[in-house]
Amino acid sequence: MEPSANIYCQAAINYVSATGPVAVEQPILNGREVDTSVWQEGFELIELPSAVTDWTDVAAIESVHYGEIEQWAKGFCGCDAVLFYPALVRNPQAQRASEDFAPVMAAHSDYTEDYAAMIKDPDSAYHQVVRPSMLRAGVTDEALANVQRILTLQLWRNTGPELMDHPLAICDARSVSRSELHPLRVPSYGGLKTEFDAFGLQHSAASANHQWYTFPLMRQHEVLLFRAFDSEQIAREQPFWTPHTAFKDPHSNGVPRSSLEMRAICLFW
């Protein structure tokens, strides 16, 4: 699979291994130079303006932006309902409160094949995390148990300076095999008990085939959309993962990153 964009920079990508993290220099391609799709490569850049003006105001995000994303998601993929994992605000202030809100400097994809069963299980910690969102959407435990498809889309928005110290790099899902992904337990995150498995991307000879992209100078009305889980892709034995990581941008003058991450859990009956 040949790269289809110019190289934006060379940067260290932190892979996982049996002995700990392995930093590997990789070319990071300029995603603005290619047309990608969340259905093929696993990601794309979209425009999603918002009425929110203060991206540190979690109450405003919950009261305004959840509805904006819900409306967008129903139009984008035709889902019947949308649930949300709580918004993740990353900035220097949030990082001082918890290291969980620092940029994640490890190549990973957020969910494994067990995600759908975990979401549906009323006794799982993750189910309890999304329960307030279920109440908001009017989705009962019985309805969730009978859902036919679960598609989880992540929406990453730069809410600070366009040139930041640790932007997001994202990997073409087609360049990563399932055998390169190693489940990692996440017992809690940001003060919430979660108990779910994420994938760490293992370092191997195949790492040389990975195609990493970034979207330089993202503006606040832009969102990097990528696939975190899709039960339909699992049934087709196709990639449902999209590895991603923060990386140190050599073009940056060190201005800390501020960003918002949303997870839209799209349900189909």
Side-chain angles (χ1 to χ4, degrees), residues 3-21:
S4 51
N6 289 320
I7 295 174
Y8 171 73
C9 69
Q10 296 277 347
I13 299 293
N14 292 319
Y15 288 81
V16 301
S17 75
T19 57

Side-chain angles (χ1 to χ4, degrees), residues 140-198:
T140 65
D141 287 351
E142 181 181 7
L144 187 56
N146 291 315
V147 73
Q148 297 300 304
R149 178 189 182 191
I150 297 178
L151 166 68
T152 297
L153 299 171
Q154 294 190 211
L155 300 96
W156 188 91
R157 186 187 300 265
N158 173 30
T159 60
E162 293 179 6
L163 186 59
M164 69 193 81
D165 56 356
H166 292 102
L168 201 67
I170 194 155
C171 194
D172 186 332
R174 303 170 304 170
S175 70
V176 177
S177 68
R178 173 62 179 84
S179 63
E180 297 175 83
L181 298 167
H182 179 67
L184 300 171
R185 172 59 48 148
V186 183
S188 63
Y189 199 83
L192 296 174
K193 183 180 179 181
T194 50
E195 294 184 354
F196 71 94
D197 287 331

Side-chain angles (χ1 to χ4, degrees), residues 198-209:
F199 280 134
L201 182 53
Q202 298 184 98
H203 177 245
S204 68
S207 302
N209 299 322

Side-chain angles (χ1 to χ4, degrees), residues 76-120:
F76 179 77
C77 65
C79 60
D80 298 300
V82 182
L83 307 182
F84 292 94
Y85 184 93
L88 292 176
V89 175
R90 299 189 194 275
N91 56 44
Q93 294 76 22
Q95 183 177 343
R96 285 193 289 270
S98 171
E99 276 298 314
D100 284 347
F101 299 122
V104 179
M105 303 290 289
H108 68 286
S109 192
D110 286 76
Y111 303 116
T112 67
E113 290 89 346
D114 295 335
Y115 179 75
M118 178 182 66
I119 286 280
K120 295 179 181 182

Side-chain angles (χ1 to χ4, degrees), residues 2-269:
E2 291 297 322
S4 51
N6 289 320
I7 295 174
Y8 171 73
C9 69
Q10 296 277 347
I13 299 293
N14 292 319
Y15 288 81
V16 301
S17 75
T19 57
V22 178
V24 180
E25 285 289 320
Q26 291 276 41
I28 312 294
L29 306 175
N30 190 335
R32 292 190 181 275
E33 298 179 355
V34 292
D35 291 325
T36 57
S37 167
V38 73
W39 311 119
Q40 297 295 326
E41 295 83 358
F43 63 92
E44 61 186 271
L45 190 69
I46 65 171
E47 293 193 359
L48 188 59
S50 172
V52 175
T53 56
D54 181 358
W55 291 106
T56 66
D57 186 344
V58 175
I61 292 169
E62 292 177 349
S63 64
V64 176
H65 200 40
Y66 281 21
E68 293 172 334
I69 292 178
E70 179 181 23
Q71 182 179 11
W72 165 84
K74 288 180 176 180
F76 179 77
C77 65
C79 60
D80 298 300
V82 182
L83 307 182
F84 292 94
Y85 184 93
L88 292 176
V89 175
R90 299 189 194 275
N91 56 44
Q93 294 76 22
Q95 183 177 343
R96 285 193 289 270
S98 171
E99 276 298 314
D100 284 347
F101 299 122
V104 179
M105 303 290 289
H108 68 286
S109 192
D110 286 76
Y111 303 116
T112 67
E113 290 89 346
D114 295 335
Y115 179 75
M118 178 182 66
I119 286 280
K120 295 179 181 182
D121 180 4
D123 296 324
S124 76
Y126 199 95
H127 184 95
Q128 298 307 314
V129 169
V130 301
R131 181 169 288 281
S133 183
M134 292 173 60
L135 294 173
R136 175 186 174 278
V139 175
T140 65
D141 287 351
E142 181 181 7
L144 187 56
N146 291 315
V147 73
Q148 297 300 304
R149 178 189 182 191
I150 297 178
L151 166 68
T152 297
L153 299 171
Q154 294 190 211
L155 300 96
W156 188 91
R157 186 187 300 265
N158 173 30
T159 60
E162 293 179 6
L163 186 59
M164 69 193 81
D165 56 356
H166 292 102
L168 201 67
I170 194 155
C171 194
D172 186 332
R174 303 170 304 170
S175 70
V176 177
S177 68
R178 173 62 179 84
S179 63
E180 297 175 83
L181 298 167
H182 179 67
L184 300 171
R185 172 59 48 148
V186 183
S188 63
Y189 199 83
L192 296 174
K193 183 180 179 181
T194 50
E195 294 184 354
F196 71 94
D197 287 331
F199 280 134
L201 182 53
Q202 298 184 98
H203 177 245
S204 68
S207 302
N209 299 322
H210 297 162
Q211 289 194 24
W212 289 97
Y213 292 84
T214 193
F215 291 83
L217 305 177
M218 282 183 61
R219 297 174 289 278
Q220 288 192 12
H221 68 278
E222 296 180 314
V223 166
L224 177 51
L225 171 70
F226 56 100
R227 178 183 56 211
F229 180 85
D230 188 352
S231 58
E232 190 172 84
Q233 286 289 97
I234 292 176
R236 295 172 176 170
E237 298 185 345
Q238 295 296 316
F240 64 91
W241 51 82
T242 313
H244 54 283
T245 179
F247 71 97
K248 184 175 177 56
D249 187 342
H251 301 295
S252 170
N253 57 7
V255 176
R257 165 177 144 189
S258 294
S259 62
L260 172 71
E261 296 163 35
M262 301 292 298
R263 289 162 175 77
I265 305 165
C266 303
L267 307 179
F268 302 75
W269 282 280

